[in-house]
Amino acid sequence: MIKRDDYLMIIEEIRNTDKKSIDEFIEKIIEPLILENENFIEILYKDIYYLIKDIDKKGENDLLIKNGSLVIENGGIKLTGYQSRLHNLSIWLHMEISKKFMEKNPLTFIESMQNFENNFLKKPNYTPEYKAKLDKIKSSLKKERKLNLGEKENFWNKIFDIDNLELKPNIAGIGVNFNEIINKFRK
């Protein structure tokens, strides 16, 4: 039986896998875990959904259409915007969940998918410790996205970032971390 923190290790491993070998990763690591753990796909999909849901801007990761046709790249449908390996894996996980509901009962497929989405996927019932670990990965994904798309942070966002505050043993208990501000401007 897989432990909850093992999902984080799998997510990190996926992030560090080359895009070309994600199919191999699915075949060698994910599929054997599916056989051992009944709800593995659903839980992994929920974690990945949480990680990537607020990263994209509006209109990103939609199907890319040129001249009225879907664009296909590297044997798959191309999406707009930046896609991490987690985006690619989430598409595969979504298809697997859809297949599972379709095989169970094709007549209730839509209700099953809506129920799954509303009552499981969109309800983050994580422990505070696990959520903090997911938020750390999410922050890393946002930085990765900015670097890969060449987006720059504006001056005021660097100054007013919450990371610039730190706990101090003074009356208010909060102080400004000037080293953090300086490090942001060095990047």
Side-chain angles (χ1 to χ4, degrees), residues 5 7 37 40 48 54 60 64 82 87 90 114 139 150 164:
D5 282 343
Y7 287 92
N37 303 286
F40 175 77
I48 291 174
D54 296 327
E60 286 187 343
L64 183 62
Y82 171 70
H87 285 87
S90 73
Q114 287 174 341
S139 173
N164 296 338

Side-chain angles (χ1 to χ4, degrees), residues 1-157:
M1 190 76 178
I2 191 168
K3 295 176 186 158
R4 195 66 178 110
D5 282 343
D6 293 338
Y7 287 92
L8 293 173
M9 291 183 346
I10 291 168
I11 289 170
E12 284 297 331
E13 208 172 321
I14 291 164
R15 287 189 65 206
N16 297 327
T17 303
D18 293 333
K19 278 190 175 184
K20 293 179 184 174
S21 66
I22 198 160
D23 292 332
E24 184 179 321
F25 184 84
I26 289 169
E27 185 180 311
K28 290 185 178 177
I29 295 173
I30 303 275
E31 288 179 349
L33 290 171
I34 292 170
L35 299 174
E36 295 173 12
N37 303 286
E38 185 179 340
N39 296 325
F40 175 77
I41 292 175
E42 290 86 351
I43 295 169
L44 184 61
Y45 185 55
K46 181 178 183 168
D47 289 352
I48 291 174
Y49 175 82
Y50 176 79
L51 290 171
I52 65 176
K53 91 175 163 181
D54 296 327
I55 290 178
D56 304 323
K57 293 182 179 177
K58 189 174 182 178
E60 286 187 343
N61 284 317
D62 292 334
L63 296 174
L64 183 62
I65 299 173
K66 286 187 182 176
N67 300 328
S69 299
L70 290 173
V71 177
I72 296 180
E73 182 179 86
N74 296 333
I77 297 173
K78 185 165 172 70
L79 302 174
T80 60
Y82 171 70
Q83 292 88 42
S84 67
R85 288 166 202 80
L86 294 178
H87 285 87
N88 297 332
L89 185 63
S90 73
I91 293 169
W92 182 83
L93 290 168
H94 184 81
M95 288 187 327
E96 290 298 311
I97 290 169
S98 298
K99 277 193 246 179
K100 194 175 188 180
F101 288 139
M102 193 63 113
E103 290 170 358
K104 199 176 207 178
N105 186 353
L107 300 175
T108 61
F109 171 73
I110 294 173
E111 294 112 29
S112 298
M113 282 302 287
Q114 287 174 341
N115 183 36
F116 172 75
E117 190 173 309
N118 294 330
N119 296 328
F120 182 74
L121 197 60
K122 291 184 178 178
K123 294 203 177 188
N125 54 348
Y126 299 118
T127 63
E129 297 85 14
Y130 193 78
K131 187 176 183 306
K133 292 174 185 177
L134 283 174
D135 287 339
K136 187 175 180 181
I137 295 171
K138 189 174 205 164
S139 173
S140 171
L141 281 170
K142 287 181 180 181
K143 288 178 184 175
E144 176 185 319
R145 180 189 182 282
K146 284 181 182 180
L147 285 173
N148 287 331
L149 292 178
E151 294 179 351
K152 302 275 186 194
E153 273 189 283
N154 81 24
F155 175 79
W156 294 111
N157 286 347

